[in-house]
């Protein structure tokens, strides 16, 4: 008897795109774009190798110099950066793939020694405990300057400009990075947002800026080319959301703002994706929802199959297995042996651990 085809490997319409399978390469910061933040031929090769995944989401890309979080991170600001990304998107498309840019403003997850002297800004003047890597070595996180209410339209405009630039650079769309403790998430989380204006305080107020950014970016490039990533209760980089009722109210308010926009997708990182919070957000969003269970355990084939097969997700976001297996779509479809990711080379220079993971070879594996 012929086995029923697995849904994970079946097509999915996502905004303006038709994906051949439901595996989405997670946004993965790899810091291989040099001091000028220009992605080169190596970055193009890395992404093109992974073109058989349904969709690639790029590493977090900064929309302004103040928004740069890491040394070696690529940007979407200078003409040289746009030219670099044209090479990358061209290579991915030539290999038959699709790629979104993850637009990421680092907010307080940064340092002036990384941003080239640009002031580190955030919703409130509260520093992260601990140290960050900069061009001058490890440094304590600085106390960010709290953004004035009148400055917020300028930050919103940076996201809009980056989205427009991403399209010019050949991306198929953008993903707004509202997760993992960076600027947009800093507005959502009560520990990093202690503002007294209409962007702080209540759950609806904390969700307001993220909703406004999404609406403006959708107006600029079209809903079918815009996704957003959130990570409720992830409790990372001091963006703590430890009160379940508050988290449900905040993300509920946000998703209710997003739902009428008709965006390409909502991507959620949460340790219990089948749980009430995530599934409630999913039904309120109404459109395609992509899921990922976070850093604690590496996404497995069985977990990805179950999430889609049981109807908890429309597609699965896969990080470390996609780092280690350029042909992950084939390996998981055929249940082949996998290369193991090497965490020592996640961040660093050059091709090692980046473009040298082998494709499946029946003779070798
Ligand atoms: C090296 C590395 C870099 C990452 N960079 C980003 C990033 O730029 N943006 C983002 O939203 N998440 C980032 N993440 C989180 C991943 O997208 C993903 O959620 C995480 O790896 C868990 O999924 P996995 O178990 O499939 O690896 C990163 C994770 C790793 C391991």
């Amino acid at each position: 008897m012929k086995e029923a085809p697995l849904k994970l490997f079946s097509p999915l319409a996502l905004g303006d795109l038709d994906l051949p399978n439901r595996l989405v390469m997670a946004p993965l910061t790899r810091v291989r774009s040099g001091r000028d933040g220009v992605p080169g031929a190596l970055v193009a090769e890395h992404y093109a190798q992974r073109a058989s995944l349904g969709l690639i989401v790029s590493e977090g890309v900064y929309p302004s110099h103040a928004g740069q979080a890491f040394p070696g991170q690529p940007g979407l600001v200078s003409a040289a950066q746009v030219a670099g990304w044209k090479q990358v998107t061209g290579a991915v498309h030539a290999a038959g793939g699709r790629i979104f840019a993850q637009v990421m403003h680092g907010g307080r997850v940064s340092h002036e020694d990384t941003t080239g002297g640009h002031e580190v800004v955030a919703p409130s003047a509260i520093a992260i405990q601990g140290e960050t890597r900069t061009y001058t070595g490890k440094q304590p996180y600085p106390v960010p300057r709290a953004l004035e209410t009148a400055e917020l339209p300028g930050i919103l405009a940076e996201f809009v400009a980056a989205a427009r630039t991403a399209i010019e650079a050949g991306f198929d769309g953008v993903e707004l990075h509202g997760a993992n403790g960076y600027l947009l998430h800093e507005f959502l989380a009560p520990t990093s947002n202690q503002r007294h204006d209409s962007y702080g305080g209540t759950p609806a107020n904390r969700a307001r800026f993220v909703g406004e950014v999404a609406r403006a970016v959708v107006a600029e490039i079209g809903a079918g080319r815009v996704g957003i990533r959130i990570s409720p209760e992830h409790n990372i980089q001091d963006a703590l959301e430890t009160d379940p009722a508050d988290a449900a109210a905040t993300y509920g308010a946000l998703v209710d703002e997003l739902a009428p926009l008709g965006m390409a997708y909502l991507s959620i990182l949460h340790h219990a994706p089948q749980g009430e919070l995530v599934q409630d957000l999913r039904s309120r969003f109404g459109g395609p929802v992509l899921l990922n269970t976070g850093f604690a355990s590496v996404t497995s084939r069985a977990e990805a199959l179950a999430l889609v097969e049981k109807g908890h997700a429309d597609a699965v976001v896969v990080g470390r297995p996609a780092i280690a297996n350029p042909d992950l779509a084939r390996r998981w479809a055929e249940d082949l042996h996998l290369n193991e990711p090497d965490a020592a080379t996640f961040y660093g220079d050059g091709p090692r651990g980046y473009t040298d993971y082998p494709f499946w070879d029946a003779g070798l594996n």
Side-chain angles (χ1 to χ4, degrees):
M1 205 172 74
K2 206 166 174 276
E3 279 181 52
L6 294 168
K7 205 172 169 194
L8 187 61
F9 308 106
S10 70
L12 174 69
L14 205 68
D16 294 352
L17 296 178
D18 290 314
L19 314 191
N21 59 59
R22 292 156 186 257
L23 293 172
V24 174
M25 180 173 164
L28 293 157
T29 289
R30 306 300 302 279
V31 299
R32 280 167 169 85
S33 294
R35 189 134 193 171
D36 55 6
V38 175
L42 186 71
V43 178
E45 184 185 351
H46 168 76
Y47 284 114
Q49 286 177 337
R50 287 155 180 79
S52 58
L53 290 159
L55 174 67
I56 294 169
V57 181
S58 81
E59 60 208 282
V61 179
Y62 55 85
S64 61
H65 291 296
Q68 182 174 358
F70 309 111
Q73 187 189 357
L76 260 173
V77 182
S78 71
Q81 290 168 350
V82 175
W85 282 120
K86 277 188 182 156
Q87 257 192 69
V88 175
T89 58
V92 169
H93 291 148
R98 295 141 297 276
I99 182 167
F100 270 36
Q102 188 186 52
V103 182
M104 163 180 158
H105 190 304
R108 65 179 183 164
V109 187
S110 191
H111 193 282
E112 287 187 12
D113 289 356
T114 297
T115 62
H118 292 266
E119 208 177 12
V120 175
V121 294
S124 297
I126 304 165
I128 297 176
Q129 297 298 309
E131 292 188 322
T132 179
R133 210 177 286 277
T134 78
Y135 283 114
T136 54
K138 280 202 164 178
Q139 306 263 11
Y141 281 106
V143 177
R145 184 175 65 74
L147 289 160
E148 302 286 341
T149 311
E151 288 178 284
L152 296 184
I155 302 285
L156 180 146
E158 290 177 3
F159 278 92
V160 171
R164 193 171 52 236
T165 307
I167 298 300
E168 280 163 25
F171 283 101
D172 297 297
V174 300
E175 175 176 290
L176 303 172
H177 195 348
N180 300 353
Y182 300 101
L183 182 77
L184 294 181
H185 193 185
E186 289 160 22
F187 274 89
L188 295 164
T191 48
S192 46
N193 179 349
Q194 304 203 343
R195 300 177 68 88
H196 298 291
D197 61 5
S198 60
Y199 293 92
T202 64
N205 277 2
R206 278 183 271 120
R208 189 182 312 281
F209 186 60
V210 184
E212 286 180 359
V213 169
R215 197 170 324 122
V217 170
V218 162
E220 183 69 24
I221 63 169
R225 299 201 281 193
V226 186
I228 185 168
R229 189 176 211 201
I230 56 174
S231 60
E233 300 179 326
H234 193 195
N235 298 331
I236 192 172
Q237 307 200 114
D238 288 3
L240 306 183
E241 292 158 334
T242 51
D243 174 354
D246 183 84
T250 306
Y251 287 92
L254 174 62
V255 168
D256 288 348
E257 288 291 317
L258 301 178
L261 302 179
M263 296 167 74
Y265 66 84
L266 171 66
S267 179
I268 308 178
L269 184 160
H270 194 274
H271 61 90
Q274 65 282 49
E276 196 180 323
L277 173 69
V278 172
Q279 291 304 313
D280 177 57
L281 296 176
R282 182 174 182 219
S283 60
R284 283 159 88 156
F285 182 67
V289 169
L290 282 42
L291 294 184
N292 177 267
T293 51
F295 295 85
S297 65
V298 178
T299 306
S300 68
R301 177 179 184 270
E303 176 190 319
L305 280 171
L307 279 173
V308 171
E309 221 58 45
K310 290 187 182 150
H312 290 127
D314 297 287
V316 177
V317 175
V318 190
R320 287 159 288 185
I323 288 179
N325 298 277
D327 51 354
L328 185 71
R330 175 182 174 198
R331 290 194 193 216
W332 274 6
E334 298 177 23
D335 202 7
L336 301 172
H337 178 77
L338 299 172
N339 302 320
E340 287 304 316
D342 170 18
T345 51
F346 284 173
Y347 309 107
D349 286 323
R352 207 162 70 82
Y354 193 55
T355 50
D356 62 354
Y357 284 106
F359 282 72
W360 172 258
D361 180 332
L364 290 177
N365 285 278

